[in-house]
Amino acid sequence: MSLLTAKEIMEIIPHRQPFMLLDTVEELTPGIRALAKKCVTYNEPFFQGHFPQEPVMPGVLIIEALAQAGAVAILSLEENKGKTAYFAAIQSARFKRKVAPGDVLLLETEIVKQKGVMGIGKAVATVDGEVAVQAELTFAISQ
């Protein structure tokens, strides 16, 4: 059973369809870590053009899903409720496995550093225990 449903996630972060890329949050330690899940289906709008003959989830959207997981972690803190977490930088992104329809993407982002409104998250996306994407994500929280 999930900790948070998509509807509950949307109470924490401002993302909406078709750009909400999290189905559930499985584990959450506010301000520290979130583990989310995305069940990738053939009905995702990006598969119409990426690529019709061999559908592959765009790597930038996997990075965005990881950022959304990090945003859930940081914005679930009481002092950040109602704020927005923005991308400030992406470092050391590595794409190690393609993600296709039928895959269940586990998205784990751990906040490893925060000073004021700026912070860094270590992010890893896996499918069946195999790393698909890893990156370091820098964020800024709105005032």
Side-chain angles (χ1 to χ4, degrees):
M1 186 165 150
S2 63
L3 181 63
L4 298 173
T5 65
K7 183 178 178 182
E8 292 166 320
I9 295 167
M10 290 189 293
E11 293 173 5
I12 299 171
I13 63 175
H15 302 77
R16 299 295 180 266
Q17 293 302 332
F19 216 65
M20 167 57 77
L21 297 173
L22 307 179
D23 293 331
T24 60
V25 171
E26 303 297 311
E27 299 174 18
L28 175 63
T29 305
I32 298 174
R33 177 183 170 273
L35 176 66
K37 185 187 292 185
K38 168 70 177 164
C39 297
V40 182
T41 70
Y42 190 76
N43 295 330
E44 308 290 346
F46 48 80
F47 284 139
Q48 293 176 25
H50 198 267
F51 303 99
Q53 306 310 58
E54 182 186 355
V56 176
M57 185 172 182
V60 295
L61 292 181
I62 300 169
I63 295 280
E64 172 62 27
L66 286 163
Q68 289 180 18
V72 168
I74 203 69
L75 298 178
S76 62
L77 287 171
E78 191 61 40
E79 63 265 25
N80 293 331
K81 288 192 191 271
K83 295 183 179 181
T84 301
Y86 296 102
F87 259 132
I90 302 167
Q91 298 290 326
S92 306
R94 299 285 180 260
F95 302 90
K96 300 185 173 267
R97 176 198 194 284
K98 73 178 186 175
V99 176
D103 287 340
V104 176
L105 199 54
L106 288 180
L107 305 147
E108 181 175 14
T109 303
E110 178 183 355
I111 309 305
V112 294
K113 184 176 185 181
Q114 186 174 0
K115 185 173 183 179
V117 298
M118 301 297 293
I120 296 173
K122 178 183 169 191
V124 179
T126 60
V127 174
D128 294 328
E130 185 180 346
V131 174
V133 176
Q134 59 190 33
E136 180 182 279
L137 309 176
T138 303
F139 62 87
I141 302 169
S142 66
Q143 297 293 338

